[in-house]
Amino acid sequence: MSDRGLLLVLSGPSGAGKGTAVRRLLELCDNIVLSISATTRPPREGEGPGHYDFLPQDEFLRRIEAGRMLEHAVYNGQYYGTPAAWVDEQLAAGRHVLLEIEMQGALQIRQRRPEAILMFMAPPSMQALEQRLRGRGTETEQQIQARLAIARGELAGAAQYDYILVNRTVEGAAEQMCAILTAERHRASAMEPFLQALQQERN
Ligand code: 5GP
């Protein structure tokens, strides 16, 4: 089997339930780690270094210049980016790495790492998405409408991904991701090193 881990990307509208599904995936599926992004946005209440690497903008820009970001994007006026060195260390150590990032970043990954597997998490319906956004109770009506409009735009880009997940339940969505990972590990291209080892084995 290939010694190198697989690079997985997950995007989807805010309220689709990516965060909870990812937490369940990490429990369910072996040998997978979640990348911690850098961002210039200020921490929300309860957020610490485990959520993001919170950086001042000048430091973030220096890291882009130095080629230390595998991808980066501006979202809602703030920079977000994936640390290249950490991701590559994990992949080289044989761990699968999951990036939970928005669409512009996902499409940069597609360009730079064509072998990456892009997954898009959709809600079962727009009505369900709206209910989830309202259920959080953290946003005004105007903010909810704005997020729904952004979500419609994101759905229009979903066809560029390799897989579409439908988040009806947390368990179901985590299982779908795990199944994709298993299938991708068994692609003929991913199994090439294993096949080579078999051929070289002496009888
Ligand atoms: P939030 O501020 O709500 O934590 O994240 C806003 C958006 O930024 C989400 O869609 C999240 O997936 C995305 N995001 C988080 N980290 C990164 C990253 O490293 N790169 C990119 N391109 N997007 C990210």
Side-chain angles (χ1 to χ4, degrees), residues 44-196:
R44 296 190 189 121
E45 215 175 294
E47 278 184 342
H51 292 88
Y52 281 109
D53 186 7
F54 295 99
L55 298 177
Q57 186 164 317
D58 56 351
E59 174 59 21
F60 196 104
L61 296 176
R62 262 199 297 277
R63 290 192 190 184
I64 297 174
E65 276 298 299
R68 291 173 62 187
M69 298 290 183
L70 189 55
E71 60 73 35
H72 73 274
V74 177
Y75 181 93
N76 201 17
Q78 303 286 351
Y79 283 89
Y80 293 83
T82 301
W86 187 86
V87 169
D88 282 325
E89 277 161 29
Q90 298 298 317
L91 293 173
R95 290 183 203 105
H96 309 305
V97 179
L98 179 65
L99 313 180
E100 196 214 302
I101 62 178
E102 53 66 69
M103 192 169 278
Q104 306 165 61
L107 298 177
Q108 287 171 42
I109 295 286
R110 160 129 299 158
Q111 292 291 318
R112 289 180 194 166
R113 303 286 169 101
E115 73 284 6
I117 300 146
L118 269 55
M119 303 181 289
F120 184 92
M121 185 175 288
S125 65
M126 289 310 282
Q127 201 186 5
L129 183 69
E130 189 169 344
Q131 275 165 4
R132 282 182 201 166
L133 288 173
R134 285 190 200 289
R136 287 177 174 180
T138 52
E139 271 136 297
T140 63
E141 182 58 31
Q142 200 183 3
Q143 283 168 330
I144 290 172
Q145 292 307 326
R147 283 191 185 267
L148 286 172
I150 295 171
R152 286 199 182 86
E154 287 170 331
L155 288 176
Q160 298 175 79
Y161 285 65
D162 298 308
Y163 294 96
I164 310 297
L165 312 166
V166 184
N167 191 5
R168 292 199 172 80
T169 64
V170 174
E171 199 63 23
E175 279 169 8
Q176 287 169 25
M177 287 192 275
C178 227
I180 289 167
L181 179 57
T182 305
E184 290 285 342
R185 278 175 43 222
H186 287 273
R187 259 187 197 280
S189 56
M191 294 295 280
E192 219 168 277
F194 172 77
L195 289 176
Q196 271 170 12

Side-chain angles (χ1 to χ4, degrees), residues 17-30 32 98 169-175 177-178:
K18 297 182 299 269
T20 356
V22 164
R23 280 199 292 281
R24 184 68 189 120
L25 171 70
L26 298 179
E27 292 169 358
L28 205 65
C29 220
D30 277 346
I32 175 161
L98 179 65
T169 64
V170 174
E171 199 63 23
E175 279 169 8
M177 287 192 275
C178 227

